[in-house]
Every structure is written in structure tokens, then in C-alpha cells.
Amino acid sequence: MKLTISMDLLEEAFYYVSPVKPVSTVPLIYATFLAGKDQIAYTTENEAKFARKIERVFKAAFHEVIEENRSYGDMLDQDTLLSPQEHVNQQGKLINSIIVALQRYPELKLIRLELAGSWPLFQTEAGQLDLTE
């Protein structure tokens, strides 16, 4: 079974999104895993999720990613102006850190990563979010 998790670096939270991936206005990362029947549990609404043991493993890997990418997460959260090349470099580091963190845990079989939502690539001062209103 394929199971997709949405990782929100700004909120430091993750959500199960299988089978439908919502549209987002914040930067999200969708990670899709191949999971065996013994790795899956179901909510009271009959929605698939990782079994408790596997979810603990995922949480450990997710927190490693959060800590390793905290400075970029803060830049995104504060809408910091960066050059297009710096955004691409930071996003590449983020993706690599996710892959490395998840590969440390053989019970997590990552099969796909996607960037979704609002990831800045080019921005000027005029494009910054106005949070004062």
C-alpha cells in the first residue's frame, strides 16, 4: 500500500494525506512510502496511517530534518529575501536531508518526494508578504 505524508516545516507538523493531496498556500513536502500490511493502522474514520511503531520511527526522522533545516525554515517563515540561487541551494539541501534521514530507517520505504504549495524561487521586496494588515 502507498501512504503519503505531508510535511510542514513551518508548523513542524506532518499529516496523512492519502489518497488526496490538498492544495496549499504554505510550502509542503509530500513523502510517499510503500508500506506493508503490518506497517499500517487505521483511524476511527477508516483512514490509513502508519502503525504506532513505524510512526515513531518517522517522527524521529522528521525531527532530524526539522533540526537540520531550521535556519531555512526560519527564512521561509519570516519571508526573508534570498537570491533565486540561494533558494534552489537551500531546497536542494532540504530534499537531500530528507532522503538521508529516511534512508537511516529501513522500515521506511520512501518511493517519492514532491514539493507542493508556496515555495519561493524569485522574490523582490515588492513581492514580500505584508503581515501588518
PDB file of all heavy atoms in Angstrom, residues 9-10 25-28 72-92 94 115-124 127-129:
ATOM      1  N   LEU A   9       7.246  22.222   7.329  1.00  0.00           N
ATOM      2  CA  LEU A   9       8.423  22.664   8.074  1.00  0.00           C
ATOM      3  C   LEU A   9       8.117  23.850   8.970  1.00  0.00           C
ATOM      4  O   LEU A   9       8.697  23.978  10.045  1.00  0.00           O
ATOM      5  CB  LEU A   9       9.545  23.050   7.112  1.00  0.00           C
ATOM      6  CG  LEU A   9      10.102  21.952   6.230  1.00  0.00           C
ATOM      7  CD1 LEU A   9      11.180  22.512   5.320  1.00  0.00           C
ATOM      8  CD2 LEU A   9      10.644  20.821   7.057  1.00  0.00           C
ATOM      9  N   LEU A  10       7.231  24.730   8.541  1.00  0.00           N
ATOM     10  CA  LEU A  10       6.948  25.932   9.321  1.00  0.00           C
ATOM     11  C   LEU A  10       6.185  25.599  10.600  1.00  0.00           C
ATOM     12  O   LEU A  10       6.464  26.164  11.651  1.00  0.00           O
ATOM     13  CB  LEU A  10       6.160  26.941   8.482  1.00  0.00           C
ATOM     14  CG  LEU A  10       6.830  27.387   7.178  1.00  0.00           C
ATOM     15  CD1 LEU A  10       5.980  28.418   6.470  1.00  0.00           C
ATOM     16  CD2 LEU A  10       8.225  27.925   7.430  1.00  0.00           C
ATOM     17  N   THR A  25      -1.216  26.810   0.490  1.00  0.00           N
ATOM     18  CA  THR A  25      -0.597  28.124   0.315  1.00  0.00           C
ATOM     19  C   THR A  25       0.704  28.229   1.096  1.00  0.00           C
ATOM     20  O   THR A  25       1.353  29.264   1.065  1.00  0.00           O
ATOM     21  CB  THR A  25      -1.549  29.242   0.779  1.00  0.00           C
ATOM     22  OG1 THR A  25      -1.867  29.010   2.160  1.00  0.00           O
ATOM     23  CG2 THR A  25      -2.815  29.256  -0.059  1.00  0.00           C
ATOM     24  N   VAL A  26       1.085  27.202   1.811  1.00  0.00           N
ATOM     25  CA  VAL A  26       2.360  27.169   2.527  1.00  0.00           C
ATOM     26  C   VAL A  26       3.250  26.120   1.887  1.00  0.00           C
ATOM     27  O   VAL A  26       2.766  25.200   1.230  1.00  0.00           O
ATOM     28  CB  VAL A  26       2.175  26.859   4.040  1.00  0.00           C
ATOM     29  CG1 VAL A  26       1.338  27.920   4.718  1.00  0.00           C
ATOM     30  CG2 VAL A  26       1.565  25.494   4.244  1.00  0.00           C
ATOM     31  N   PRO A  27       4.575  26.236   2.069  1.00  0.00           N
ATOM     32  CA  PRO A  27       5.459  25.217   1.491  1.00  0.00           C
ATOM     33  C   PRO A  27       5.286  23.875   2.201  1.00  0.00           C
ATOM     34  O   PRO A  27       5.419  23.797   3.418  1.00  0.00           O
ATOM     35  CB  PRO A  27       6.865  25.787   1.695  1.00  0.00           C
ATOM     36  CG  PRO A  27       6.738  26.965   2.566  1.00  0.00           C
ATOM     37  CD  PRO A  27       5.303  27.310   2.713  1.00  0.00           C
ATOM     38  N   LEU A  28       4.967  22.853   1.437  1.00  0.00           N
ATOM     39  CA  LEU A  28       4.809  21.500   1.973  1.00  0.00           C
ATOM     40  C   LEU A  28       5.682  20.533   1.188  1.00  0.00           C
ATOM     41  O   LEU A  28       6.053  20.805   0.044  1.00  0.00           O
ATOM     42  CB  LEU A  28       3.357  21.028   1.855  1.00  0.00           C
ATOM     43  CG  LEU A  28       2.298  21.754   2.663  1.00  0.00           C
ATOM     44  CD1 LEU A  28       0.923  21.173   2.349  1.00  0.00           C
ATOM     45  CD2 LEU A  28       2.583  21.655   4.143  1.00  0.00           C
ATOM     46  N   TYR A  72      16.714  27.485   7.323  1.00  0.00           N
ATOM     47  CA  TYR A  72      15.933  27.738   6.109  1.00  0.00           C
ATOM     48  C   TYR A  72      14.446  27.845   6.445  1.00  0.00           C
ATOM     49  O   TYR A  72      13.735  28.687   5.899  1.00  0.00           O
ATOM     50  CB  TYR A  72      16.174  26.665   5.049  1.00  0.00           C
ATOM     51  CG  TYR A  72      15.498  26.980   3.725  1.00  0.00           C
ATOM     52  CD1 TYR A  72      15.679  28.216   3.104  1.00  0.00           C
ATOM     53  CD2 TYR A  72      14.691  26.054   3.097  1.00  0.00           C
ATOM     54  CE1 TYR A  72      15.060  28.517   1.896  1.00  0.00           C
ATOM     55  CE2 TYR A  72      14.072  26.341   1.884  1.00  0.00           C
ATOM     56  CZ  TYR A  72      14.263  27.570   1.291  1.00  0.00           C
ATOM     57  OH  TYR A  72      13.650  27.864   0.098  1.00  0.00           O
ATOM     58  N   GLY A  73      13.969  27.033   7.364  1.00  0.00           N
ATOM     59  CA  GLY A  73      12.582  27.136   7.801  1.00  0.00           C
ATOM     60  C   GLY A  73      12.282  28.507   8.383  1.00  0.00           C
ATOM     61  O   GLY A  73      11.234  29.095   8.108  1.00  0.00           O
ATOM     62  N   ASP A  74      13.218  29.035   9.176  1.00  0.00           N
ATOM     63  CA  ASP A  74      13.044  30.382   9.734  1.00  0.00           C
ATOM     64  C   ASP A  74      13.023  31.431   8.629  1.00  0.00           C
ATOM     65  O   ASP A  74      12.242  32.380   8.676  1.00  0.00           O
ATOM     66  CB  ASP A  74      14.159  30.705  10.736  1.00  0.00           C
ATOM     67  CG  ASP A  74      14.051  29.892  12.014  1.00  0.00           C
ATOM     68  OD1 ASP A  74      12.977  29.301  12.273  1.00  0.00           O
ATOM     69  OD2 ASP A  74      15.055  29.839  12.761  1.00  0.00           O
ATOM     70  N   MET A  75      13.890  31.272   7.623  1.00  0.00           N
ATOM     71  CA  MET A  75      13.895  32.208   6.497  1.00  0.00           C
ATOM     72  C   MET A  75      12.570  32.183   5.749  1.00  0.00           C
ATOM     73  O   MET A  75      12.038  33.231   5.369  1.00  0.00           O
ATOM     74  CB  MET A  75      15.034  31.885   5.525  1.00  0.00           C
ATOM     75  CG  MET A  75      16.410  32.202   6.036  1.00  0.00           C
ATOM     76  SD  MET A  75      17.640  31.768   4.790  1.00  0.00           S
ATOM     77  CE  MET A  75      18.870  30.982   5.803  1.00  0.00           C
ATOM     78  N   LEU A  76      12.022  30.984   5.542  1.00  0.00           N
ATOM     79  CA  LEU A  76      10.724  30.873   4.876  1.00  0.00           C
ATOM     80  C   LEU A  76       9.627  31.497   5.727  1.00  0.00           C
ATOM     81  O   LEU A  76       8.765  32.217   5.217  1.00  0.00           O
ATOM     82  CB  LEU A  76      10.390  29.402   4.608  1.00  0.00           C
ATOM     83  CG  LEU A  76      11.188  28.692   3.534  1.00  0.00           C
ATOM     84  CD1 LEU A  76      10.847  27.209   3.535  1.00  0.00           C
ATOM     85  CD2 LEU A  76      10.932  29.300   2.174  1.00  0.00           C
ATOM     86  N   ASP A  77       9.668  31.222   7.017  1.00  0.00           N
ATOM     87  CA  ASP A  77       8.643  31.728   7.924  1.00  0.00           C
ATOM     88  C   ASP A  77       8.655  33.251   8.004  1.00  0.00           C
ATOM     89  O   ASP A  77       7.615  33.884   8.119  1.00  0.00           O
ATOM     90  CB  ASP A  77       8.844  31.119   9.309  1.00  0.00           C
ATOM     91  CG  ASP A  77       7.658  31.326  10.221  1.00  0.00           C
ATOM     92  OD1 ASP A  77       6.514  31.354   9.722  1.00  0.00           O
ATOM     93  OD2 ASP A  77       7.867  31.467  11.436  1.00  0.00           O
ATOM     94  N   GLN A  78       9.849  33.838   7.926  1.00  0.00           N
ATOM     95  CA  GLN A  78       9.983  35.296   8.026  1.00  0.00           C
ATOM     96  C   GLN A  78       9.960  35.979   6.664  1.00  0.00           C
ATOM     97  O   GLN A  78      10.142  37.187   6.568  1.00  0.00           O
ATOM     98  CB  GLN A  78      11.272  35.637   8.769  1.00  0.00           C
ATOM     99  CG  GLN A  78      11.258  35.166  10.204  1.00  0.00           C
ATOM    100  CD  GLN A  78      12.633  35.190  10.841  1.00  0.00           C
ATOM    101  OE1 GLN A  78      13.559  35.793  10.311  1.00  0.00           O
ATOM    102  NE2 GLN A  78      12.760  34.522  11.972  1.00  0.00           N
ATOM    103  N   ASP A  79       9.751  35.194   5.599  1.00  0.00           N
ATOM    104  CA  ASP A  79       9.693  35.734   4.236  1.00  0.00           C
ATOM    105  C   ASP A  79      10.955  36.519   3.896  1.00  0.00           C
ATOM    106  O   ASP A  79      10.910  37.609   3.339  1.00  0.00           O
ATOM    107  CB  ASP A  79       8.440  36.600   4.065  1.00  0.00           C
ATOM    108  CG  ASP A  79       7.977  36.672   2.614  1.00  0.00           C
ATOM    109  OD1 ASP A  79       8.312  35.765   1.836  1.00  0.00           O
ATOM    110  OD2 ASP A  79       7.306  37.658   2.271  1.00  0.00           O
ATOM    111  N   THR A  80      12.104  35.957   4.269  1.00  0.00           N
ATOM    112  CA  THR A  80      13.399  36.585   4.038  1.00  0.00           C
ATOM    113  C   THR A  80      13.717  36.610   2.543  1.00  0.00           C
ATOM    114  O   THR A  80      13.516  35.617   1.842  1.00  0.00           O
ATOM    115  CB  THR A  80      14.513  35.803   4.784  1.00  0.00           C
ATOM    116  OG1 THR A  80      14.161  35.746   6.167  1.00  0.00           O
ATOM    117  CG2 THR A  80      15.862  36.439   4.608  1.00  0.00           C
ATOM    118  N   LEU A  81      14.222  37.753   2.070  1.00  0.00           N
ATOM    119  CA  LEU A  81      14.622  37.853   0.672  1.00  0.00           C
ATOM    120  C   LEU A  81      15.918  37.075   0.457  1.00  0.00           C
ATOM    121  O   LEU A  81      16.907  37.298   1.141  1.00  0.00           O
ATOM    122  CB  LEU A  81      14.845  39.311   0.273  1.00  0.00           C
ATOM    123  CG  LEU A  81      13.606  40.179   0.141  1.00  0.00           C
ATOM    124  CD1 LEU A  81      14.003  41.605  -0.200  1.00  0.00           C
ATOM    125  CD2 LEU A  81      12.662  39.629  -0.904  1.00  0.00           C
ATOM    126  N   LEU A  82      15.890  36.158  -0.481  1.00  0.00           N
ATOM    127  CA  LEU A  82      17.071  35.387  -0.868  1.00  0.00           C
ATOM    128  C   LEU A  82      17.167  35.420  -2.386  1.00  0.00           C
ATOM    129  O   LEU A  82      16.166  35.581  -3.083  1.00  0.00           O
ATOM    130  CB  LEU A  82      16.946  33.929  -0.418  1.00  0.00           C
ATOM    131  CG  LEU A  82      16.857  33.657   1.078  1.00  0.00           C
ATOM    132  CD1 LEU A  82      16.604  32.178   1.317  1.00  0.00           C
ATOM    133  CD2 LEU A  82      18.119  34.096   1.791  1.00  0.00           C
ATOM    134  N   SER A  83      18.374  35.221  -2.882  1.00  0.00           N
ATOM    135  CA  SER A  83      18.538  35.142  -4.337  1.00  0.00           C
ATOM    136  C   SER A  83      17.912  33.840  -4.833  1.00  0.00           C
ATOM    137  O   SER A  83      17.774  32.876  -4.075  1.00  0.00           O
ATOM    138  CB  SER A  83      20.030  35.168  -4.693  1.00  0.00           C
ATOM    139  OG  SER A  83      20.631  33.946  -4.308  1.00  0.00           O
ATOM    140  N   PRO A  84      17.541  33.801  -6.114  1.00  0.00           N
ATOM    141  CA  PRO A  84      16.988  32.555  -6.664  1.00  0.00           C
ATOM    142  C   PRO A  84      17.944  31.373  -6.461  1.00  0.00           C
ATOM    143  O   PRO A  84      17.507  30.277  -6.114  1.00  0.00           O
ATOM    144  CB  PRO A  84      16.798  32.863  -8.149  1.00  0.00           C
ATOM    145  CG  PRO A  84      16.624  34.345  -8.206  1.00  0.00           C
ATOM    146  CD  PRO A  84      17.509  34.885  -7.105  1.00  0.00           C
ATOM    147  N   GLN A  85      19.238  31.620  -6.637  1.00  0.00           N
ATOM    148  CA  GLN A  85      20.207  30.531  -6.465  1.00  0.00           C
ATOM    149  C   GLN A  85      20.241  30.030  -5.027  1.00  0.00           C
ATOM    150  O   GLN A  85      20.350  28.836  -4.778  1.00  0.00           O
ATOM    151  CB  GLN A  85      21.610  30.985  -6.908  1.00  0.00           C
ATOM    152  CG  GLN A  85      22.610  29.857  -6.963  1.00  0.00           C
ATOM    153  CD  GLN A  85      22.180  28.738  -7.907  1.00  0.00           C
ATOM    154  OE1 GLN A  85      21.734  28.977  -9.012  1.00  0.00           O
ATOM    155  NE2 GLN A  85      22.301  27.499  -7.460  1.00  0.00           N
ATOM    156  N   GLU A  86      20.119  30.949  -4.055  1.00  0.00           N
ATOM    157  CA  GLU A  86      20.134  30.541  -2.646  1.00  0.00           C
ATOM    158  C   GLU A  86      18.891  29.710  -2.313  1.00  0.00           C
ATOM    159  O   GLU A  86      18.980  28.727  -1.581  1.00  0.00           O
ATOM    160  CB  GLU A  86      20.237  31.755  -1.726  1.00  0.00           C
ATOM    161  CG  GLU A  86      20.366  31.402  -0.264  1.00  0.00           C
ATOM    162  CD  GLU A  86      21.592  30.558   0.087  1.00  0.00           C
ATOM    163  OE1 GLU A  86      22.595  30.578  -0.660  1.00  0.00           O
ATOM    164  OE2 GLU A  86      21.544  29.861   1.116  1.00  0.00           O
ATOM    165  N   HIS A  87      17.728  30.094  -2.853  1.00  0.00           N
ATOM    166  CA  HIS A  87      16.525  29.281  -2.627  1.00  0.00           C
ATOM    167  C   HIS A  87      16.708  27.878  -3.188  1.00  0.00           C
ATOM    168  O   HIS A  87      16.411  26.889  -2.523  1.00  0.00           O
ATOM    169  CB  HIS A  87      15.286  29.926  -3.264  1.00  0.00           C
ATOM    170  CG  HIS A  87      14.602  30.920  -2.393  1.00  0.00           C
ATOM    171  ND1 HIS A  87      14.045  30.610  -1.179  1.00  0.00           N
ATOM    172  CD2 HIS A  87      14.382  32.245  -2.573  1.00  0.00           C
ATOM    173  CE1 HIS A  87      13.505  31.679  -0.645  1.00  0.00           C
ATOM    174  NE2 HIS A  87      13.706  32.698  -1.470  1.00  0.00           N
ATOM    175  N   VAL A  88      17.224  27.794  -4.401  1.00  0.00           N
ATOM    176  CA  VAL A  88      17.428  26.483  -5.028  1.00  0.00           C
ATOM    177  C   VAL A  88      18.438  25.660  -4.224  1.00  0.00           C
ATOM    178  O   VAL A  88      18.229  24.464  -3.991  1.00  0.00           O
ATOM    179  CB  VAL A  88      17.866  26.643  -6.506  1.00  0.00           C
ATOM    180  CG1 VAL A  88      18.290  25.318  -7.098  1.00  0.00           C
ATOM    181  CG2 VAL A  88      16.734  27.251  -7.324  1.00  0.00           C
ATOM    182  N   ASN A  89      19.522  26.294  -3.773  1.00  0.00           N
ATOM    183  CA  ASN A  89      20.519  25.587  -2.954  1.00  0.00           C
ATOM    184  C   ASN A  89      19.899  25.077  -1.654  1.00  0.00           C
ATOM    185  O   ASN A  89      20.111  23.921  -1.273  1.00  0.00           O
ATOM    186  CB  ASN A  89      21.702  26.498  -2.633  1.00  0.00           C
ATOM    187  CG  ASN A  89      22.597  26.755  -3.821  1.00  0.00           C
ATOM    188  OD1 ASN A  89      22.567  26.016  -4.801  1.00  0.00           O
ATOM    189  ND2 ASN A  89      23.383  27.813  -3.739  1.00  0.00           N
ATOM    190  N   GLN A  90      19.143  25.927  -0.966  1.00  0.00           N
ATOM    191  CA  GLN A  90      18.522  25.532   0.301  1.00  0.00           C
ATOM    192  C   GLN A  90      17.494  24.419   0.089  1.00  0.00           C
ATOM    193  O   GLN A  90      17.412  23.477   0.887  1.00  0.00           O
ATOM    194  CB  GLN A  90      17.856  26.744   0.971  1.00  0.00           C
ATOM    195  CG  GLN A  90      18.824  27.773   1.491  1.00  0.00           C
ATOM    196  CD  GLN A  90      19.641  27.263   2.666  1.00  0.00           C
ATOM    197  OE1 GLN A  90      19.204  26.414   3.439  1.00  0.00           O
ATOM    198  NE2 GLN A  90      20.840  27.781   2.801  1.00  0.00           N
ATOM    199  N   GLN A  91      16.714  24.514  -0.988  1.00  0.00           N
ATOM    200  CA  GLN A  91      15.728  23.472  -1.259  1.00  0.00           C
ATOM    201  C   GLN A  91      16.402  22.147  -1.610  1.00  0.00           C
ATOM    202  O   GLN A  91      15.941  21.081  -1.213  1.00  0.00           O
ATOM    203  CB  GLN A  91      14.764  23.937  -2.356  1.00  0.00           C
ATOM    204  CG  GLN A  91      13.867  25.050  -1.863  1.00  0.00           C
ATOM    205  CD  GLN A  91      13.162  25.813  -2.959  1.00  0.00           C
ATOM    206  OE1 GLN A  91      13.174  25.424  -4.127  1.00  0.00           O
ATOM    207  NE2 GLN A  91      12.537  26.915  -2.590  1.00  0.00           N
ATOM    208  N   GLY A  92      17.516  22.219  -2.330  1.00  0.00           N
ATOM    209  CA  GLY A  92      18.280  21.000  -2.630  1.00  0.00           C
ATOM    210  C   GLY A  92      18.823  20.359  -1.361  1.00  0.00           C
ATOM    211  O   GLY A  92      18.749  19.136  -1.194  1.00  0.00           O
ATOM    212  N   LEU A  94      17.557  20.663   1.605  1.00  0.00           N
ATOM    213  CA  LEU A  94      16.400  20.136   2.321  1.00  0.00           C
ATOM    214  C   LEU A  94      16.001  18.767   1.786  1.00  0.00           C
ATOM    215  O   LEU A  94      15.833  17.813   2.553  1.00  0.00           O
ATOM    216  CB  LEU A  94      15.232  21.123   2.198  1.00  0.00           C
ATOM    217  CG  LEU A  94      13.880  20.649   2.704  1.00  0.00           C
ATOM    218  CD1 LEU A  94      13.921  20.379   4.198  1.00  0.00           C
ATOM    219  CD2 LEU A  94      12.814  21.671   2.365  1.00  0.00           C
ATOM    220  N   LEU A 115       7.652  18.629  -3.813  1.00  0.00           N
ATOM    221  CA  LEU A 115       7.459  19.946  -3.215  1.00  0.00           C
ATOM    222  C   LEU A 115       6.089  20.430  -3.659  1.00  0.00           C
ATOM    223  O   LEU A 115       5.747  20.337  -4.834  1.00  0.00           O
ATOM    224  CB  LEU A 115       8.531  20.931  -3.689  1.00  0.00           C
ATOM    225  CG  LEU A 115       9.965  20.646  -3.267  1.00  0.00           C
ATOM    226  CD1 LEU A 115      10.895  21.722  -3.819  1.00  0.00           C
ATOM    227  CD2 LEU A 115      10.094  20.566  -1.764  1.00  0.00           C
ATOM    228  N   ALA A 116       5.308  20.948  -2.737  1.00  0.00           N
ATOM    229  CA  ALA A 116       3.965  21.440  -3.062  1.00  0.00           C
ATOM    230  C   ALA A 116       3.711  22.738  -2.315  1.00  0.00           C
ATOM    231  O   ALA A 116       4.381  23.043  -1.329  1.00  0.00           O
ATOM    232  CB  ALA A 116       2.924  20.395  -2.675  1.00  0.00           C
ATOM    233  N   GLY A 117       2.773  23.488  -2.794  1.00  0.00           N
ATOM    234  CA  GLY A 117       2.432  24.730  -2.109  1.00  0.00           C
ATOM    235  C   GLY A 117       3.296  25.884  -2.563  1.00  0.00           C
ATOM    236  O   GLY A 117       3.761  25.938  -3.688  1.00  0.00           O
ATOM    237  N   SER A 118       3.563  26.798  -1.668  1.00  0.00           N
ATOM    238  CA  SER A 118       4.200  28.070  -1.986  1.00  0.00           C
ATOM    239  C   SER A 118       5.691  28.065  -1.640  1.00  0.00           C
ATOM    240  O   SER A 118       6.087  28.500  -0.565  1.00  0.00           O
ATOM    241  CB  SER A 118       3.484  29.183  -1.221  1.00  0.00           C
ATOM    242  OG  SER A 118       4.058  30.422  -1.489  1.00  0.00           O
ATOM    243  N   TRP A 119       6.519  27.578  -2.568  1.00  0.00           N
ATOM    244  CA  TRP A 119       7.972  27.589  -2.398  1.00  0.00           C
ATOM    245  C   TRP A 119       8.539  28.759  -3.198  1.00  0.00           C
ATOM    246  O   TRP A 119       8.429  28.787  -4.417  1.00  0.00           O
ATOM    247  CB  TRP A 119       8.596  26.288  -2.900  1.00  0.00           C
ATOM    248  CG  TRP A 119       8.315  25.144  -1.999  1.00  0.00           C
ATOM    249  CD1 TRP A 119       7.263  24.286  -2.071  1.00  0.00           C
ATOM    250  CD2 TRP A 119       9.080  24.742  -0.872  1.00  0.00           C
ATOM    251  NE1 TRP A 119       7.330  23.376  -1.069  1.00  0.00           N
ATOM    252  CE2 TRP A 119       8.437  23.624  -0.312  1.00  0.00           C
ATOM    253  CE3 TRP A 119      10.240  25.219  -0.277  1.00  0.00           C
ATOM    254  CZ2 TRP A 119       8.923  22.978   0.812  1.00  0.00           C
ATOM    255  CZ3 TRP A 119      10.726  24.578   0.841  1.00  0.00           C
ATOM    256  CH2 TRP A 119      10.072  23.471   1.375  1.00  0.00           C
ATOM    257  N   PRO A 120       9.151  29.739  -2.538  1.00  0.00           N
ATOM    258  CA  PRO A 120       9.691  30.882  -3.286  1.00  0.00           C
ATOM    259  C   PRO A 120      10.916  30.486  -4.109  1.00  0.00           C
ATOM    260  O   PRO A 120      11.745  29.709  -3.659  1.00  0.00           O
ATOM    261  CB  PRO A 120      10.071  31.877  -2.190  1.00  0.00           C
ATOM    262  CG  PRO A 120      10.276  31.041  -0.971  1.00  0.00           C
ATOM    263  CD  PRO A 120       9.387  29.841  -1.108  1.00  0.00           C
ATOM    264  N   LEU A 121      10.991  31.017  -5.317  1.00  0.00           N
ATOM    265  CA  LEU A 121      12.174  30.852  -6.159  1.00  0.00           C
ATOM    266  C   LEU A 121      12.743  32.205  -6.566  1.00  0.00           C
ATOM    267  O   LEU A 121      13.941  32.358  -6.705  1.00  0.00           O
ATOM    268  CB  LEU A 121      11.853  30.029  -7.403  1.00  0.00           C
ATOM    269  CG  LEU A 121      11.552  28.564  -7.150  1.00  0.00           C
ATOM    270  CD1 LEU A 121      11.143  27.870  -8.437  1.00  0.00           C
ATOM    271  CD2 LEU A 121      12.749  27.869  -6.536  1.00  0.00           C
ATOM    272  N   PHE A 122      11.864  33.177  -6.749  1.00  0.00           N
ATOM    273  CA  PHE A 122      12.290  34.528  -7.079  1.00  0.00           C
ATOM    274  C   PHE A 122      11.348  35.483  -6.366  1.00  0.00           C
ATOM    275  O   PHE A 122      10.138  35.313  -6.379  1.00  0.00           O
ATOM    276  CB  PHE A 122      12.216  34.792  -8.589  1.00  0.00           C
ATOM    277  CG  PHE A 122      12.503  36.222  -8.943  1.00  0.00           C
ATOM    278  CD1 PHE A 122      13.804  36.688  -8.989  1.00  0.00           C
ATOM    279  CD2 PHE A 122      11.468  37.107  -9.193  1.00  0.00           C
ATOM    280  CE1 PHE A 122      14.077  38.009  -9.300  1.00  0.00           C
ATOM    281  CE2 PHE A 122      11.728  38.434  -9.508  1.00  0.00           C
ATOM    282  CZ  PHE A 122      13.032  38.881  -9.553  1.00  0.00           C
ATOM    283  N   GLN A 123      11.934  36.491  -5.711  1.00  0.00           N
ATOM    284  CA  GLN A 123      11.114  37.442  -4.970  1.00  0.00           C
ATOM    285  C   GLN A 123      11.881  38.742  -4.783  1.00  0.00           C
ATOM    286  O   GLN A 123      13.073  38.728  -4.525  1.00  0.00           O
ATOM    287  CB  GLN A 123      10.761  36.833  -3.607  1.00  0.00           C
ATOM    288  CG  GLN A 123       9.940  37.709  -2.707  1.00  0.00           C
ATOM    289  CD  GLN A 123       9.558  36.968  -1.444  1.00  0.00           C
ATOM    290  OE1 GLN A 123       9.010  35.887  -1.503  1.00  0.00           O
ATOM    291  NE2 GLN A 123       9.887  37.541  -0.320  1.00  0.00           N
ATOM    292  N   THR A 124      11.171  39.850  -4.936  1.00  0.00           N
ATOM    293  CA  THR A 124      11.736  41.163  -4.636  1.00  0.00           C
ATOM    294  C   THR A 124      11.014  41.711  -3.409  1.00  0.00           C
ATOM    295  O   THR A 124      10.060  41.093  -2.915  1.00  0.00           O
ATOM    296  CB  THR A 124      11.545  42.133  -5.820  1.00  0.00           C
ATOM    297  OG1 THR A 124      10.148  42.367  -5.984  1.00  0.00           O
ATOM    298  CG2 THR A 124      12.153  41.577  -7.101  1.00  0.00           C
ATOM    299  N   GLY A 127       7.383  41.800  -3.571  1.00  0.00           N
ATOM    300  CA  GLY A 127       6.705  40.509  -3.509  1.00  0.00           C
ATOM    301  C   GLY A 127       6.612  39.922  -2.121  1.00  0.00           C
ATOM    302  O   GLY A 127       6.034  38.850  -1.937  1.00  0.00           O
ATOM    303  N   GLN A 128       7.170  40.617  -1.124  1.00  0.00           N
ATOM    304  CA  GLN A 128       7.111  40.075   0.240  1.00  0.00           C
ATOM    305  C   GLN A 128       5.678  40.125   0.769  1.00  0.00           C
ATOM    306  O   GLN A 128       4.887  40.990   0.396  1.00  0.00           O
ATOM    307  CB  GLN A 128       8.025  40.870   1.178  1.00  0.00           C
ATOM    308  CG  GLN A 128       9.486  40.543   0.947  1.00  0.00           C
ATOM    309  CD  GLN A 128      10.374  41.237   1.956  1.00  0.00           C
ATOM    310  OE1 GLN A 128      10.444  42.453   1.991  1.00  0.00           O
ATOM    311  NE2 GLN A 128      11.043  40.438   2.766  1.00  0.00           N
ATOM    312  N   LEU A 129       5.395  39.198   1.659  1.00  0.00           N
ATOM    313  CA  LEU A 129       4.078  39.163   2.273  1.00  0.00           C
ATOM    314  C   LEU A 129       3.934  40.335   3.230  1.00  0.00           C
ATOM    315  O   LEU A 129       4.852  40.649   3.981  1.00  0.00           O
ATOM    316  CB  LEU A 129       3.887  37.862   3.065  1.00  0.00           C
ATOM    317  CG  LEU A 129       3.927  36.571   2.250  1.00  0.00           C
ATOM    318  CD1 LEU A 129       3.864  35.386   3.179  1.00  0.00           C
ATOM    319  CD2 LEU A 129       2.792  36.542   1.258  1.00  0.00           C
TER     320      LEU A 129
END
